[in-house]
Amino acid sequence: MFVSPAIRKVFEGVASRYEMYALFNRHSQSPFDDNMINGTRYVGEWFEISEADHDHMFEILPPLFYRGDMFAMREFLAASVTSVFFALMIDDRQRWFHSYCDLGDRQSPDRMRAEIIARESRPVRAMNRQEKLDHIWSATGPDFRSYADERFPADLRNRQIVLVYPSAQGKIWKLLDDLTDEEIAAKLPVQFRLLPETIAA
């Protein structure tokens, strides 16, 4: 039975070209395990890009498919997972997005499209806790993020960790999921710290 992975926004705002390529590589440090090999580590992730970068990606290679407001990259990231790009009209404004979809599930691109539109059509700009954590991971340089290794208990290995700097203890590594609200606020860009919290769908 196919289980649909969670669809999630992993970067707040419109990514620059530099940020877009960094987001393509946000899991470059992850263990070479089944989740990496079959692409499930990527499936469901999406973020906003510029029109110029959307068009640039379209021109790199002939798309695998082109359908209305979406196209898929011909080169697969892993297994049947590839980049799907969207040009969507949201609240009477054209916007552009990148996502990772598993084309082994024929409904994956359409489901992604619907989720992006629903997420970006909210009347009030907001971020839920998971979106804040994903943005922190996406925006943190590789020297300041990693995956839990032998320093952590066996049941925590391979989970995402980031450097934190408590004043009394110096710098330490901490599980991304265990960041406190204060640590999240400290790591988010100033313009995102006061966004209202939403309940994850």
Side-chain angles (χ1 to χ4, degrees), residues 91 118-128 131 198-199:
D91 295 333
R119 169 64 180 81
E120 294 302 297
S121 297
R122 293 178 183 170
V124 177
R125 189 178 184 199
M127 296 173 74
N128 62 46
E131 287 172 346
T198 63
I199 299 173

Side-chain angles (χ1 to χ4, degrees), residues 146-183:
S146 189
Y147 286 79
D149 54 21
E150 65 278 356
R151 293 172 291 182
F152 288 78
D155 61 327
L156 302 180
R157 303 273 169 82
N158 298 335
R159 290 177 59 185
Q160 293 171 320
I161 57 175
V162 291
L163 270 177
V164 292
Y165 296 85
S167 56
Q169 303 171 49
K171 66 179 185 180
I172 60 170
W173 289 96
K174 187 171 183 177
L175 290 173
L176 180 69
D177 290 338
D178 288 350
L179 292 181
T180 65
D181 290 344
E182 292 75 18
E183 289 166 339

Side-chain angles (χ1 to χ4, degrees), residues 38-50:
N38 61 31
T40 55
R41 195 177 300 281
Y42 302 88
V43 176
E45 296 186 346
W46 64 271
F47 56 90
E48 189 169 358
I49 60 175
S50 69

